[in-house]
């Protein structure tokens, strides 16, 4: 064994929400792990993305004894603010949930998870390049990488947790014939815009003939805006003036502060599930295994769910030599994932079909409007919607 060969129980690839949450759960349970991250710390800490931790996820952190230390932000109010054809229609959902859901920017959660992990003695290695997985179906797989000093290292382990997102190396290490990719393209994209513009509400969503628009608070002074747009549009076509004009048209009201726009990106809306979520001793978590359209605000929450299930399964195996939870890992997660894919697809279709008819036509528009109205008219529908928003279905 050379000095660059090491041993651990779990190698976690990727320090996003899934990887860091898993790392913290294992560390608290006395299980050795090493987290390998390709990027620099500053990059990971600042990556802007999701904004909602649902009640289920908050409860999960509570159960692992971490809620106070990692969940920040402000409580999520059980109200969604809709603007329908320029008219305000707040929707308050009925819920038995005692709260816990938060508007907590993803980078705040990631920063807190990182501080707690490193502060409690966790082993987190940034700028890990050329990560390669070896012998994943054998009894003792290995992960090889080049560290920030350019030294090649090898870590042997019991399990590998692939938490490296949709473009990572983990899923790509599984032979193609062992995985099935189920996917659905929605046929449009979102232009996502980050601007120095305070939001009046935590969330505001517009249904309009010109297409969907959304505004979500990102702290007291900034908002993330979303605009439905065709797949073949280019970011360069969206000047700041055009963006503000389109936001005002779709919301049907002027934007009070049109501050600096700091980023514009295009996200094609799609749903993807890779099954099974494990191969040999490699387990996939979060975006590495599934993508939900951002309309649902569930991507990060699904990643957190996977981390919860996997940590409990490893614990059971290490402490009790009982592999049943590990064997059930993929099936357990996929059941949950498909349930939330169904919710995400339904909500995405509803919000988009009800607006711009050029994608799915007038018939779908009327169906979507009827379904939307049902949210207000039927307490049963309202409750079910609330269950999904809180993550408790
Ligand atoms: P992440 O967060 O992408 O982390 C993966 C990490 O792996 C690293 N990595 C590697 N490390 C080592 N070696 C390699 N070869 C590696 N390749 C990659 C990466 O650098 C990174 O640090 O995946 P994870 O942990 O699975 O978490 C998933 C969530 O980030 C994602 O689902 C959400 O951001 C989705 N999402 C939302 N989810 C919500 O729950 N609520 C929301 O409101 C919400 N809004 C959104 C979103 C995603 C968006 N985008 C960017 C598509 C809004 C947007 C615009």
């Amino acid at each position: 064994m050379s000095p660059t060969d090491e041993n651990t129980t779990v190698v976690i690839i990727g320090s996003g929400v899934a990887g860091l949450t898993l790392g913290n759960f294992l560390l608290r349970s006395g299980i050795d792990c090493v987290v390998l991250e390709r990027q620099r710390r500053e990059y990971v800490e600042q990556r802007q993305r999701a904004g909602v931790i649902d009640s289920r996820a908050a409860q999960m952190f509570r159960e692992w004894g971490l809620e106070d230390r990692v969940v920040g932000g402000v409580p999520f109010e059980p109200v969604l603010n809709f603007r329908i054809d320029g008219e305000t229609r707040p929707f308050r959902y009925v819920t038995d949930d005692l709260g816990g859901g938060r508007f907590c920017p993803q980078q705040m959660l990631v920063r807190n998870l990182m501080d707690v992990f490193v502060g409690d003695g966790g082993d987190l290695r940034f700028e890990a390049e050329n990560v390669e997985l070896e012998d994943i179906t054998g009894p003792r797989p290995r992960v090889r990488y080049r560290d920030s000093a350019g030294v090649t290292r090898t870590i042997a382990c019991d399990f590998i947790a692939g938490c490296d997102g949709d473009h990572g190396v983990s899923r790509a290490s599984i032979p193609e014939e062992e995985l099935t990719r189920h996917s659905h393209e929605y046929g449009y994209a979102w232009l996502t815009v980050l601007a120095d513009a305070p939001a009046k509400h935590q969330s505001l969503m517009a249904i309009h003939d010109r297409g969907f628009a959304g505004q979500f608070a990102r702290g007291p002074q900034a908002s993330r805006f979303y605009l439905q747009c065709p797949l073949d549009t280019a970011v360069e076509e969206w000047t700041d003036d055009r963006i503000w004009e389109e936001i005002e048209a779709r919301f049907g009201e002027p934007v009070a502060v049109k501050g600096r726009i700091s980023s514009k990106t295009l996200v094609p809306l799609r749903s993807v599930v890779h099954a099974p979520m494990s191969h040999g001793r490699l387990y996939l978590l979060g975006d590495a295994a599934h993508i939900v359209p951002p309309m649902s605000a569930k991507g990060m929450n699904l990643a957190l769910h996977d981390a919860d299930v996997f940590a409990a399964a490893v614990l059971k195996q290490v402490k009790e030599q009982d592999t049943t939870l590990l064997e059930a890992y993929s099936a357990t997660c996929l059941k949950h994932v498909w349930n939330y894919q169904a919710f995400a697809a339904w909500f995405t279709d509803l919000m988009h079909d009800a607006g711009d008819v050029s994608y799915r036509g007038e018939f779908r528009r009327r169906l979507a409007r009827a379904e939307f109205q049902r949210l207000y008219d039927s307490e049963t529908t309202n409750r079910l919607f609330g269950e999904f928003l809180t993550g408790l279905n």
Side-chain angles (χ1 to χ4, degrees):
M1 187 163 130
S2 87
T4 53
D5 289 344
E6 300 169 75
N7 278 289
T8 191
T9 306
V10 184
V11 174
I12 300 173
I13 304 175
S15 72
V17 278
L20 289 169
T21 300
L22 173 64
N24 274 296
F25 292 172
L26 295 179
L27 188 65
R28 292 180 79 72
S29 310
I31 294 174
D32 287 344
C33 62
V34 176
V35 183
L36 299 179
E37 167 59 49
R38 189 178 52 182
Q39 302 285 355
R40 290 164 50 238
R41 180 171 185 151
E42 300 71 38
Y43 179 89
V44 178
E45 282 183 338
Q46 275 155 33
R47 197 167 34 200
Q48 275 269 3
R49 281 180 160 193
V52 178
I53 294 180
D54 67 20
S55 301
R56 191 211 158 273
Q59 200 170 301
M60 169 196 80
F61 281 120
R62 198 173 315 145
E63 283 160 12
W64 285 92
L66 279 169
E67 188 186 25
D68 296 344
R69 296 173 76 194
V70 302
V71 180
V74 292
F76 189 76
E77 295 161 17
V79 180
L80 296 182
N81 291 288
F82 292 111
R83 292 275 297 177
I84 315 300
D85 307 323
E87 185 195 328
T88 300
R89 294 196 58 192
F91 170 74
R92 181 170 284 275
Y93 56 91
V94 184
T95 174
D96 299 327
D97 169 40
L98 298 174
R102 315 278 295 183
F103 256 100
C104 170
Q106 185 167 333
Q107 72 272 28
M108 182 190 282
L109 177 66
V110 163
R111 219 175 295 142
N112 292 345
L113 285 165
M114 212 179 267
D115 288 347
V116 170
F117 186 71
V118 174
D120 288 359
D123 188 341
L124 170 52
R125 306 178 189 179
F126 292 98
E127 298 173 72
E129 285 183 26
N130 298 351
V131 170
E132 283 174 44
L133 282 56
E134 294 172 0
D135 205 13
I136 49 182
T137 52
R140 193 97 182 128
R142 288 176 306 280
V143 178
R144 185 186 300 275
Y145 74 101
R146 204 171 65 229
D147 73 12
S148 53
V151 178
T152 298
R153 297 181 174 274
T154 307
I155 313 176
C157 57
D158 292 334
F159 308 107
I160 302 173
C163 305
D164 47 352
D166 190 31
H167 305 289
V169 65
S170 302
R171 195 182 67 238
S173 307
I174 301 177
E176 236 171 73
E177 64 277 11
E178 301 288 343
L179 277 186
T180 306
R181 181 180 191 270
H182 305 279
S183 67
H184 173 66
E185 306 287 334
Y186 290 81
Y188 39 76
W190 275 7
L191 177 72
T192 88
V193 172
L194 196 61
D196 296 335
K200 263 194 296 187
H201 306 286
Q202 287 186 338
S203 68
L204 185 63
M205 286 173 274
I207 291 175
H208 191 273
D209 289 351
R210 297 169 78 126
F212 171 81
Q215 180 182 10
F216 296 87
R218 288 291 184 266
Q221 300 305 330
S223 294
R224 186 176 279 286
F225 291 94
Y226 298 112
L227 288 171
Q228 179 187 3
C229 55
L231 284 174
D232 60 2
T233 199
V235 171
E236 300 71 46
E237 292 169 26
W238 291 85
T239 60
D240 292 5
D241 285 347
R242 181 176 172 204
I243 288 170
W244 291 123
E245 197 181 300
E246 204 57 35
I247 289 170
E248 291 189 328
R250 296 185 191 190
F251 283 124
E253 62 178 0
V255 175
V257 181
K258 296 178 197 150
R260 185 180 67 98
I261 291 180
S262 54
S263 89
K264 304 175 194 175
T265 353
L266 278 166
V267 182
L269 266 64
R270 63 167 60 105
S271 296
V272 185
V273 179
H274 298 270
M277 285 173 56
S278 62
H279 180 68
R281 287 175 173 260
L282 166 63
Y283 295 80
L284 301 177
L285 288 79
D287 281 10
H290 39 72
I291 303 288
V292 278
M295 182 78 248
S296 62
K298 288 296 168 191
M300 174 165 81
N301 292 296
L302 287 179
L304 294 172
H305 175 268
D306 294 347
D308 191 15
V309 175
F310 185 63
V314 171
L315 216 67
K316 187 100 179 148
Q317 205 282 330
V318 172
K319 307 269 181 200
E320 299 171 34
Q321 287 73 53
D322 181 341
T323 57
T324 45
L325 295 183
L326 272 176
E327 282 157 19
Y329 169 76
S330 177
T332 307
C333 291
L334 285 173
K335 181 169 182 268
H336 186 79
V337 167
W338 278 115
N339 192 26
Y340 281 83
Q341 284 287 10
F343 165 69
W346 169 78
F347 192 38
T348 304
D349 283 346
L350 177 74
M351 294 302 291
H352 294 81
D353 290 357
D356 183 347
V357 287
S358 63
Y359 292 93
R360 301 238 287 169
E362 185 59 30
F363 187 80
R364 287 278 177 185
R365 179 175 185 271
R366 291 189 185 226
L367 289 186
R369 293 267 170 156
E371 286 202 57
F372 188 75
Q373 187 55 40
R374 198 190 296 140
L375 287 173
Y376 293 85
D377 295 343
S378 156
E379 193 190 316
T380 311
T381 308
N382 175 313
R383 270 189 181 275
L384 181 62
F385 189 57
E387 278 182 22
F388 278 107
L389 289 178
T390 51
L392 300 174
N393 182 280

